[in-house]
Amino acid sequence: MQRSPRSRLGRSWLLPLCVAAGFVVPANASAITPAECDARVNDTPAKLIPCIQQDDLWNHMQQFQAIANANPGPDGHPSRNSGEPGYKASADYVAKVMKDAGYDVKIQTYKFNYSAFVGTPTWSEASPTARSFTVVTDWNPGTSNGTVTDGQIQPAGGIVIPPTATPTSASGCTAADFTGFTPGRIALIQRGTCNFGVKVQNAQAAGASGVVIFNEGNPNRTAVLSGSLLDANNNPFVPNIPVAFTSFAIGQSLYNEYQAGTPPTMSLDVHVITDPNRDDYNVIAESKGGDKNHVLVVDAHLDAIFGAGMLDNASGSATILDIAQQMKNVNPRNKLRFIWFGGEELGLLGSAYYVNNLSKTELNHIGYDLDADVTATPNYLIGVLDPAAPDLFSRTVTATFPNRVYKPSLVARDQGVDYLNSIGKNHEFLSPVGTDAFNFNAAGIPASGVLTGQDCCKSQEEVDLFGGFLGNYEGNVPSFDGGCVDNPFRWCDNLSNNDPEVLTFMSKTFANMVVQMAFDTKIMSASNSATYPPKSAIGARHFTVK
């Protein structure tokens, strides 16, 4: 799931109330064998849901982990990141499984701006304090190339210490801030006013061998930074000197050492690979049957970020892959189009490319989208996508959609809720912001889906609702740092970061939504997401404005 800034918690949930008619799975359903599932037509929830089985789901997860292990990225660790061999191998695996299941498969290629760190960047101080700085915890590397060994720190002009109550520093924003700077030294620069890249360009022009940018120190500006290097026109570039971003506390300590007459001696090593024209891929597989004028898109993003990406989002990819296999004998009323998107972690790139390159007619023929984005979190929440709900990260409502998008989106949403109620599970409503479903909603297409949250950020309120424990895998309480899945240089989003039981009940929940929408004759019956009259039967049920 694509990460975005977070703020205070806000939610809407329903407690289990009843078992809706038509969603009850027979008590002996678990006794069905894989061979029986493979042979029969799983065209109802009662048939499909028992065939979504843990062993099949986990086999796909193991395959994705094996692919990552066999294809290390430039950092030397298992990877399924977009633009790297592990991602292409994942796409090829999905394409083969879907072809073997009888679907019509194509791979859609698009270009994107690729970058990756080579090895693990390092930063250390030799004197007057001997210390090594830990990536992510103490600092983050900028997208830069260079090595400096035993270079002395020299502060740029404009540093404001102690910091004021509000941001006032413009350190490094003009050439004048480097008057008297000794070429070959590492520039120490405070955050503030101008783009980080402008500060770096000014340091380069003054002959700096490297740059350390520290947070400003005002309220909410104290933690370890992670910044983009943009010039004055907001264009990205890659400087040929290494760049480090760090916290106010570390920056202040380096500044104080310099002021005490003992300039810190440091080594900094950062290297990246960049390619502004790298290939990435969407895997698109269609059912042979179904009305091509009424298409149900079922999607998950296939790419990882910073590693194997087993939770985010091999889990969702396995969910829809298994559902597709179990529906291979089904002749749906609506055309099924399963899509595994690339580039989601980099800004919903794959789904944006797909939606933006549809003709108006093709777009109008898509009646609905269902998205599975993270479905196996051990310390889970249970989210069902609702376009009017708070998003996962900010916990506020950050996007709104017209009724022709919002109202139909509630139909599949409520199908997910019905199944969760039937198995005694609580839920909450979450926005599609940060998921590929957002691009469909933005294009006027109703959408829903499921997610189980990331391996972090569990609040007491969520513990009360879903069980589990506070904080994240590092034990930080509360924490909003993304856990394993959104941070580089942790390499911990592996198979062990997933719970097969959670994967199974969430995949069953999603299957309930998919199979019902595959045979929907009301919401999917009109192009361009028509809004139904409030007095009609379906309007009274689904489209009452609250």
Side-chain angles (χ1 to χ4, degrees):
M1 182 171 191
Q2 185 201 17
R3 190 180 182 186
S4 60
R6 304 174 177 92
S7 63
R8 293 291 297 171
L9 185 67
R11 70 181 70 255
S12 171
W13 68 75
L14 298 174
L15 296 176
L17 298 176
C18 63
V19 178
F23 302 97
V24 180
V25 179
N28 64 348
S30 61
I32 191 167
T33 67
E36 291 171 322
C37 287
D38 190 62
R40 77 181 186 183
V41 179
N42 295 311
D43 56 359
T44 65
K47 293 179 181 177
L48 177 61
I49 290 172
C51 289
I52 305 302
Q53 298 182 2
Q54 183 172 305
D55 287 348
D56 296 329
L57 291 160
W58 204 245
N59 176 65
H60 290 311
M61 295 291 284
Q62 291 172 323
Q63 293 295 326
F64 286 129
Q65 182 70 64
I67 287 170
N69 293 345
N71 292 277
D75 60 9
H77 291 266
S79 174
R80 295 190 316 101
N81 297 339
S82 279
E84 296 178 7
Y87 179 77
K88 182 58 165 62
S90 297
D92 290 342
Y93 169 71
V94 168
K96 183 181 186 305
V97 170
M98 293 300 283
K99 286 178 182 176
D100 291 346
Y103 289 86
D104 294 325
V105 179
K106 67 178 181 179
I107 294 181
Q108 182 182 51
T109 304
Y110 63 95
K111 302 286 187 179
F112 78 108
N113 188 9
Y114 168 85
S115 69
F117 290 101
V118 179
T120 305
T122 59
W123 181 32
S124 61
E125 180 181 2
S127 66
T129 305
R131 50 180 168 170
S132 294
F133 299 101
T134 302
V135 181
V136 179
T137 303
D138 298 324
W139 74 291
N140 287 300
T143 302
S144 54
N145 272 308
T147 301
V148 55
T149 302
D150 294 333
Q152 281 194 343
I153 282 279
Q154 182 174 341
I159 291 175
V160 180
I161 290 181
T164 55
T166 58
T168 55
S169 173
S171 175
C173 289
T174 67
D177 289 329
F178 295 89
T179 300
F181 187 86
T182 303
R185 290 188 173 179
I186 300 170
L188 179 66
I189 307 174
Q190 191 173 23
R191 175 187 184 181
T193 305
C194 63
N195 285 347
F196 295 127
V198 172
K199 298 173 186 281
V200 173
Q201 287 176 328
N202 288 330
Q204 279 186 294
S209 60
V211 172
V212 174
I213 300 174
F214 66 100
N215 214 340
E216 194 166 358
N218 322 106
N220 300 316
R221 286 190 169 217
T222 59
V224 176
L225 283 175
S226 181
S228 298
L229 297 177
L230 305 177
D231 65 19
N233 296 315
N234 293 319
N235 296 314
F237 69 99
V238 180
N240 58 9
I241 58 173
V243 177
F245 293 94
T246 191
S247 65
F248 172 75
I250 290 175
Q252 183 181 36
S253 71
L254 298 174
Y255 180 81
N256 289 341
E257 287 175 341
Y258 180 88
Q259 293 298 110
T262 53
T265 299
M266 319 199 77
S267 296
L268 178 60
D269 182 79
V270 182
H271 291 278
V272 296
I273 295 173
T274 59
D275 181 353
N277 205 35
R278 184 67 63 96
D279 284 340
D280 203 20
Y281 311 96
N282 295 327
V283 182
I284 305 171
E286 286 196 351
S287 60
K288 295 189 182 298
D291 184 350
K292 65 181 181 180
N293 294 320
H294 302 107
V295 177
L296 171 64
V297 171
V298 181
D299 76 76
H301 75 88
L302 185 58
D303 64 310
I305 187 166
F306 308 130
M310 294 305 299
L311 178 61
D312 193 4
N313 186 38
S315 62
S317 293
T319 291
I320 73 168
L321 189 56
D322 185 54
I323 291 170
Q325 284 182 297
Q326 299 305 327
M327 293 185 71
K328 68 179 182 179
N329 299 325
V330 172
N331 183 23
R333 181 179 185 88
N334 305 308
K335 177 75 73 175
L336 294 177
R337 185 175 297 157
F338 292 90
I339 308 180
W340 288 261
F341 288 119
E344 191 265 5
E345 297 289 2
L346 304 175
L348 312 181
L349 300 184
S351 57
Y353 181 87
Y354 173 76
V355 170
N356 292 340
N357 284 275
L358 293 170
S359 68
K360 183 177 180 180
T361 299
E362 290 170 331
L363 191 64
N364 285 342
H365 287 169
I366 298 176
Y368 221 89
D369 172 66
L370 293 173
D371 178 271
D373 193 348
V374 184
T375 55
T377 310
N379 189 27
Y380 66 87
L381 58 82
I382 300 175
V384 183
L385 296 187
D386 177 331
D391 74 63
L392 176 65
F393 296 119
S394 75
R395 303 302 178 139
T396 58
V397 177
T398 58
T400 57
F401 301 95
N403 274 348
R404 68 182 181 87
V405 173
Y406 173 68
K407 295 298 184 176
S409 295
L410 304 187
V411 175
R413 183 202 75 172
D414 291 346
Q415 292 166 356
V417 170
D418 285 339
Y419 180 74
L420 290 166
N421 287 346
S422 77
I423 61 172
K425 297 290 187 183
N426 293 328
H427 68 277
E428 62 180 320
F429 295 139
L430 293 169
S431 167
V433 169
T435 75
D436 288 312
F438 178 81
N439 280 327
F440 288 88
N441 275 167
I445 297 169
S448 188
V450 297
L451 55 89
T452 53
Q454 295 184 332
D455 55 342
C456 70
C457 327
K458 199 76 174 279
S459 68
Q460 184 60 56
E461 187 178 8
E462 289 169 317
V463 172
D464 294 342
L465 191 60
F466 301 111
F469 52 89
L470 285 168
N472 64 9
Y473 90 105
E474 303 114 317
N476 297 331
V477 182
S479 176
F480 293 94
D481 66 1
C484 284
V485 302
D486 268 342
N487 285 304
F489 314 115
R490 287 180 176 167
W491 305 294
C492 53
D493 189 11
N494 300 311
L495 202 61
S496 60
N497 197 40
N498 292 261
D499 186 323
E501 293 185 2
V502 177
L503 176 64
T504 304
F505 77 69
M506 288 304 295
S507 296
K508 289 176 180 287
T509 302
F510 195 65
N512 186 57
M513 301 161 77
V514 172
V515 71
Q516 291 194 75
M517 294 309 299
F519 287 91
D520 178 84
T521 60
K522 295 176 180 178
I523 301 302
M524 297 280 289
S525 65
S527 297
N528 205 24
S529 309
T531 299
Y532 291 84
K535 292 183 179 180
S536 67
I538 189 171
R541 178 180 175 187
H542 296 299
F543 297 166
T544 302
V545 178
K546 295 180 180 180

